[in-house]
């Protein structure tokens, strides 16, 4: 696994983006790029070339799994590790996201103090 320097956080909720950015940049020490929708995620992922993408499952318009498929179809993000974030962490849900090819699933709400640690554990 390459070193993580830049993380793209995709979530339609302002609070999650704000807390996530603080956690990823202050605690994790990573440059953090934010997107509030699947469409914005595709655009920013192509421009920014993140080392990791944190992707919300439930979003209006293009949901997480659909966005995941589109990211995989773009050459720039075809192999970028993606972690889903969801409030629904039942076993069958998690299994479905891992089958899609996600490196892991993080439950929401997440603990901002331990989020970077959890990410490192999932991608290592």
């Amino acid at each position: 696994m390459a070193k993580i320097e830049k993380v793209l956080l995709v979530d339609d909720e302002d609070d999650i983006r704000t807390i996530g950015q603080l956690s990823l940049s202050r605690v994790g020490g990573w440059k953090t790029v934010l997107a509030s929708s699947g469409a914005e995620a595709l655009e920013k992922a192509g421009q920014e070339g993140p080392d990791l993408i944190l992707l919300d499952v439930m979003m209006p318009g293009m949901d997480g799994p659909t966005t995941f498929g589109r990211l995989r179809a773009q050459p720039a993000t075809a192999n970028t590790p993606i972690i889903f974030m969801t409030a629904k962490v039942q076993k069958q849900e998690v299994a479905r996201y891992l089958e899609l090819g996600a490196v892991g699933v993080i439950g929401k709400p997440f603990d901002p103090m331990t989020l970077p640690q959890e990410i490192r554990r999932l991608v290592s």
Side-chain angles (χ1 to χ4, degrees):
M1 170 70 210
K3 191 167 169 290
I4 300 173
E5 288 175 9
K6 188 189 290 187
V7 178
L8 172 61
L9 171 62
V10 187
D11 201 295
D12 59 309
E13 290 176 55
D14 292 341
D15 299 358
I16 301 275
R17 287 197 310 276
T18 302
I19 294 164
Q21 177 160 32
L22 283 170
S23 169
L24 297 166
S25 57
R26 299 244 174 101
V27 183
W30 299 317
K31 182 178 190 309
T32 309
V33 180
L34 302 176
S36 59
S37 67
E40 192 183 354
L42 293 173
E43 189 184 315
K44 290 205 168 158
Q47 291 167 353
E48 298 279 349
D51 301 307
L52 175 78
I53 299 170
L54 285 179
L55 184 57
D56 184 23
V57 171
M58 302 287 288
M59 294 187 291
M62 203 189 311
D63 70 358
T66 305
T67 305
F68 183 96
R70 298 271 180 90
L71 287 163
R72 283 293 173 251
Q74 289 187 166
T77 50
N79 300 308
T80 306
I82 297 175
I83 295 174
F84 277 114
M85 293 191 305
T86 179
K88 298 191 178 92
V89 286
Q90 290 92 345
K91 275 205 174 89
Q92 68 272 28
E93 293 280 317
V94 171
R96 193 166 73 87
Y97 303 137
L98 295 176
E99 271 168 29
L100 282 177
V103 294
V105 179
I106 289 176
K108 285 172 34 177
F110 51 80
D111 178 344
M113 296 315 294
T114 60
L115 179 64
Q117 218 175 315
E118 203 172 340
I119 290 169
R120 287 190 179 100
R121 186 180 58 75
L122 287 170
V123 296
S124 64

